[in-house]
Amino acid sequence: MALTRRSLHLHLIRPIFSARLLTTASTSPISIETSLPFTAHNIDPPSRSVQTSPHELLSFFRDMVLMRRMEIASDSLYKAKLIRGFCHLYDGQEAVAIGMEAAITRKDCIITAYRDHCLYLGRGGTLVEAFAELMGRNGGCSKGKGGSMHFYKKDAGFYGGHGIVGAQIPLGCGLAFAQKYSKDDSVSFMMYGDGAANQGQLFEALNMAALWDLPAILVCENNHYGMGTAEWRAAKSPAYFKRGDYVPGLKVDGMDALAVKQACKFAKEHALKNGPIILEMDTYRYHGHSMSDPGSTYRTRDEISGIRQERDPVERVRKLILAHDLATEKEMKDTEKEVRKEVDEAIAKAKEMPSPDPSELFTNVYVKGLGVEAFGADRKELRAVLP
Amino acid sequence: MEASFGVSSAAAANAVNSPALSPPSLPFIRSEARPISWRVDKSRKAGKITTKAVAAQAENPASAASKPGHEVLLFEALREGLEEEMERDPRVCIFGEDVGHYGGSYKVSKGLADKYGDLRVLDTPIAENSFTGMAVGAAMTGLRPVVEGMNMGFLLLAFNQISDNCGMLHYTSGGQFTIPTVIRGPGGVGRQLGAEHSQRLESYFQSIPGIQMVACSTPYNAKGLMKAAIRSENPVVLFEHVLLYNLKERIPDEEYVVSLEEAEMVRPGEHVTILTYSRMRYHVMQAAKTLVNKGYDPEVIDIRSLKPFDLYTIGNSIKKTHKVLIVEECMRTGGIGASLTAAINENFNDYLDAPIVCLSSQDVPTPYAGTLEEWTVVQPGQIVTAVEQLCR
């Protein structure tokens, strides 16, 4: 099931508690203050008070619970050896994906690195396609040929899904260039981590984006650890939002979905008028870097549980909902149960899908059937290319 | 190398005789006049000097008058191809260092920035990795960028983008994205340019799945390959050669596109198949003159398509001659010749009368000193000796 924003009509077919909650939730605006103020570099920060609505908050809750549940389920699937290779989980960082989606349209492009499962869901990908791709089945979003690190959704402006750290940033620069070339008033968000922030190609891309005023927004998802290396051990200056020098930057509390939404909205307006901007999302991942990393050799369990208690994005939204009386405890618990069921059904469906056909090994290496027609000057012989 | 050979490919529909090959301008070759029993060419008598080793084109004054064509240098032919494609499709754009205002370091994009603007002919900073990545990203959305490496060697910095993103994105996205980029630039051993500026990247790129590689050698095929590469939906790497930019040839006025996967028959023959590409084609043709005077009849094929190989044309030639000599500019280890040798051995082993001989450059960084540099690449004398040994 795709996320609530798009699939609301599907929910109406099967009356469920949360659906009733969402359909009856109003869209009247509520103003909520972000947990922390924004820190700005070379720019005036946006205001701390964010416009939202009960409907939006409830959908934030449901979507984040869905993402959290999907990542935890992927953990179990990996341990059961149904998912192989590398599996980088996003739980703890959901607020970044959710807040960003709330601020932009599907015409805007998002490109990220390998921690892409939840961003794929946010862009409209379905659970079944995600699980099928993770398990290497035919029905996956990349036909089972990409894997965990290669989720793409062209029609929704999600450009992946890249395994090499930092290589997606120049690609994102290219997306922004194409948007400027076709003048369609959209922006590109290129996401990278604190580890990738030390890549040279980032600064090359930043220089080019600033030189040509490309509508590029660089989003650093700073979860403070580049695999096993803490940020202060890898970067002389861990203030990633300031690293752009002449490019303005904003530091955002990445565990607060509303702050992320405000920052992305602000960034989009800025990028369309003035060129690139850097957003540093201060966030945290509960799992290790990937499933082969326990995540506890370079940080203490106290630190992880501390963050979970104080800054967890799902809990923050839950408290907001309760504080504003938008739903009861029981209703939210029912939502969680229902999401869990949805995820389990999606996994069951994905498990039944077959592996890709052996002939798929050779498809999509080259683009077939679109061969270049070769002809001589007199056009007597027209030779088509043999695939 | 500066002499205009005016070699017209037999595959051209309307090849016109170049005036540059008239006898007085060529070096005087004295043959040894040894009668050889299996000499096929009956028109040659012992002692007679043949100055035209290239297959003679039918002199057709009528066709020459009706379709005169125009003379261009190779870099102008590339520019014509580029300009025609940019005119035809507004999505075609150029990225590269000094391609815009400067006009291109080899003048391939001269005048295009004035015509199409600074965004379409983009002067990039010196950041090969990033602007190649940018081109791939732009291609994912539907633009058709042509990336120029000022020297092919600089594109080693962009290797990750070319191999992982350019080559593999079509596959890893399950076919969702096509990457119709063209990556082009001059490479090869030049005139004492030094080791880092004399690289032959075709050997490094050849195993990247998902890309096509072509090498141009004449103004005719340069323009045709440029157009074909831009029109292709696959990423294409177009290898040009620093020393071939000033070759002159008469090319047709009409539009034409050359096939990306086909090899070019330069000189049909009977005794030995010589496979070559890019600049070595001219060394081979020079050697062919000597060979013809000595009574040999080599078949020279310019393979043009370095990935995938045109095994159809090559195979037909081998079935005729049964002997293969590969002359390439790549280094001995892991070059195009090595792969071609393996491919021919696998596919046409039954037709070979002798082991394949592969002449490549030495496995050394290209030295600066002129005499040393001359000996790193294959010289016509070595080709002649190799053919004589092969045909013994």
Side-chain angles (χ1 to χ4, degrees), chain A residues 249-268:
Chain A
L250 203 63
K251 183 163 173 165
V252 185
D253 179 6
M255 306 296 254
D256 179 357
L258 292 170
V260 173
K261 175 186 164 189
Q262 181 84 325
C264 290
K265 212 155 119 217
F266 174 75
K268 179 170 174 174

Side-chain angles (χ1 to χ4, degrees), chain A residues 21-312:
Chain A
L21 211 57
L22 283 161
T23 46
T24 53
S26 71
T27 47
S28 55
I30 314 175
S31 205
I32 299 182
E33 287 257 307
T34 63
S35 53
L36 294 169
F38 298 106
T39 327
H41 167 75
N42 275 352
I43 199 170
D44 291 322
S47 117
R48 266 178 85 172
S49 114
V50 187
Q51 298 300 317
T52 181
S53 71
H55 182 267
E56 189 172 65
L57 283 174
L58 288 168
S59 70
F60 274 10
F61 179 74
R62 189 182 201 283
D63 294 343
M64 285 204 275
V65 167
L66 186 70
M67 289 178 176
R68 178 71 61 90
R69 193 64 234 146
M70 178 180 81
E71 296 295 73
I72 308 242
S74 304
D75 180 312
S76 325
L77 286 176
Y78 191 91
K79 288 179 177 141
K81 289 212 195 306
L82 283 164
I83 300 178
R84 314 302 300 271
F86 293 123
C87 189
H88 306 87
L89 298 177
Y90 202 70
D91 55 326
Q93 298 183 208
E94 299 91 351
V96 178
I98 292 293
M100 192 181 288
E101 278 303 323
I104 62 176
T105 69
R106 289 286 156 80
K107 256 179 63 186
D108 299 312
C109 305
I110 298 183
I111 190 168
T112 182
Y114 40 77
R115 218 175 284 278
D116 55 352
H117 308 166
C118 297
L119 280 148
Y120 174 73
L121 276 195
R123 288 262 94 179
T126 62
L127 278 172
V128 179
E129 280 176 349
F131 281 120
E133 184 63 36
L134 286 171
M135 294 196 269
R137 307 297 168 101
N138 215 351
C141 48
S142 301
K143 299 188 195 162
K145 297 199 280 194
S148 159
M149 298 188 282
H150 298 285
F151 280 26
Y152 303 93
K153 198 162 169 63
K154 184 170 187 180
D155 51 8
F158 182 53
Y159 287 83
H162 297 273
I164 304 293
V165 170
Q168 77 275 13
I169 302 166
L171 256 65
C173 214
L175 300 175
F177 176 83
Q179 286 171 329
K180 189 179 172 112
Y181 197 93
S182 47
K183 301 193 188 67
D184 60 2
D185 271 341
S186 47
V187 294
S188 292
F189 285 81
M190 38 211 97
M191 307 176 71
Y192 58 97
D194 46 297
N198 299 316
Q199 274 267 320
Q201 40 191 334
L202 192 156
F203 297 96
E204 292 178 1
L206 204 62
N207 177 40
M208 291 197 284
L211 196 58
W212 302 316
D213 286 325
L214 301 182
I217 300 166
L218 287 92
V219 179
C220 178
E221 293 180 287
N222 183 6
N223 55 26
H224 307 287
Y225 295 95
M227 203 161 88
T229 309
E231 57 176 346
W232 54 270
R233 285 181 63 224
K236 182 76 178 170
S237 157
Y240 300 108
F241 69 109
K242 288 192 186 159
R243 292 262 207 107
D245 185 22
Y246 41 81
V247 173
L250 203 63
K251 183 163 173 165
V252 185
D253 179 6
M255 306 296 254
D256 179 357
L258 292 170
V260 173
K261 175 186 164 189
Q262 181 84 325
C264 290
K265 212 155 119 217
F266 174 75
K268 179 170 174 174
E269 280 162 19
H270 182 272
L272 283 173
K273 282 204 302 285
N274 304 329
I277 180 171
I278 300 181
L279 296 178
E280 183 186 334
M281 305 285 180
D282 189 347
T283 181
Y284 200 83
R285 53 168 165 80
Y286 297 139
H287 269 92
H289 164 75
S290 70
M291 287 305 300
S292 45
D293 170 29
S296 49
T297 54
Y298 46 87
R299 50 186 192 174
T300 59
R301 291 196 197 279
D302 287 337
E303 179 188 305
I304 306 173
S305 52
I307 303 239
R308 211 187 265 275
Q309 273 178 340
E310 284 164 40
R311 297 178 64 200
D312 186 74

Side-chain angles (χ1 to χ4, degrees), chain B residues 135-158:
Chain B
V136 175
M140 283 166 94
T141 65
L143 291 189
R144 307 182 80 92
V146 177
V147 176
E148 174 177 307
M150 193 182 271
N151 185 293
M152 270 301 196
F154 305 161
L155 291 179
L156 283 173
L157 288 159

Side-chain angles (χ1 to χ4, degrees), chain B residues 158-182:
Chain B
F159 206 111
N160 175 52
Q161 297 289 354
I162 296 175
S163 95
D164 290 359
N165 294 331
C166 207
M168 298 196 204
L169 267 173
H170 185 62
Y171 191 83
T172 56
S173 65
Q176 284 180 66
F177 297 111
T178 58
I179 317 288
T181 47
V182 177

Side-chain angles (χ1 to χ4, degrees), chain B residues 87-103:
Chain B
E87 194 64 49
R88 179 180 175 267
D89 188 343
R91 297 171 301 171
V92 179
C93 48
I94 309 178
F95 290 9
E97 294 158 15
D98 279 329
V99 292
H101 294 191
Y102 193 81

